[in-house]
Every structure is written in C-alpha cells, then in structure tokens.
Amino acid sequence: MTILGVAIGSALGTMLRYIVLNTWSAKSKYFTAVFIVNMVGSFALGYLMATGATYAMYSFWTTGVIAGLTTFSTMMTQSGQYTRGQQAWYLAWQIIFGMIFFSAGTALITIL
C-alpha cells in the first residue's frame, strides 16, 4: 500500500512541478521556478519531519509528492547555463535558502 501511495504522490508532485515550471516567468535570473519548487519542498519537508506522521503518510508526502515536486537534476542543469561565478551564487542561494525554509517548516510545527 505504501508503494501505491508513493507512486500516486510522485505523480501529483511531478504534475505540480510541471505546472509551476510552465507558468512561472522566465525573466527572473535566480528566483526561477526551480528555485520556488525547491523552497516549497524544503519548507514542506521540514514541516512533515516535525509532525510525527505515520510511515505511509510520511512516504506519500516526502518520497512521493515532495520528491516529485522538487528537482535536483534540473537545478544542476539550470546552474550549467550560468557562468562559473553565477553558478556558485545560484547553488549557494538554493542551499542556504533551502536550509532556511526547512528550518521554518520545522519551527512552524513547534509553534502550532
């Protein structure tokens, strides 16, 4: 049953990513659609880790929806479109803000 939940969750997350990547403005240099889905995923993962969800629900959301939504490979491909110095900034922004959003998600559940 968990495998089915992961499959359904990843299909949903992938469709959400597709929608965001095709509707977000391509004019932004660093705050791209890839950046947005990765930050949403970081926040949601931090939130879910602090909830104490059941294994099946945790798997559905983390391995399914969030893994389908976020994208490491596209982030790497997108960073390859920048110059060497821009790559460093782009990847640093992804990592630093990802940690901040993850921490914010965890903090939110402790506040509630």
Side-chain angles (χ1 to χ4, degrees):
M1 196 61 160
T2 301
I3 292 174
L4 180 61
V6 169
I8 293 168
S10 62
L12 292 171
T14 304
M15 286 187 288
L16 285 171
R17 178 178 39 158
Y18 177 81
I19 291 167
V20 172
L21 267 59
N22 285 295
T23 57
W24 188 265
S25 172
K27 293 178 184 176
S28 177
K29 187 155 185 120
Y30 294 110
F31 296 109
T32 62
V34 173
F35 180 84
I36 298 303
V37 297
N38 287 340
M39 295 311 107
V40 169
S42 295
F43 180 84
L45 187 59
Y47 182 85
L48 285 168
M49 286 193 68
T51 63
T54 65
Y55 180 74
M57 287 305 293
Y58 184 79
S59 296
F60 169 80
W61 284 105
T62 59
T63 307
V65 176
I66 295 171
L69 174 67
T70 60
T71 173
F72 181 79
S73 60
T74 306
M75 180 179 79
M76 292 293 111
T77 303
Q78 194 172 59
S79 74
Q81 298 170 2
Y82 300 125
T83 65
R84 196 180 219 51
Q86 291 172 327
Q87 282 178 344
W89 277 108
Y90 177 75
L91 295 173
W93 280 107
Q94 290 273 350
I95 293 166
I96 292 167
F97 277 97
M99 292 169 48
I100 291 168
F101 275 77
F102 179 87
S103 298
T106 304
L108 180 64
I109 199 67
T110 57
I111 292 169
L112 299 177

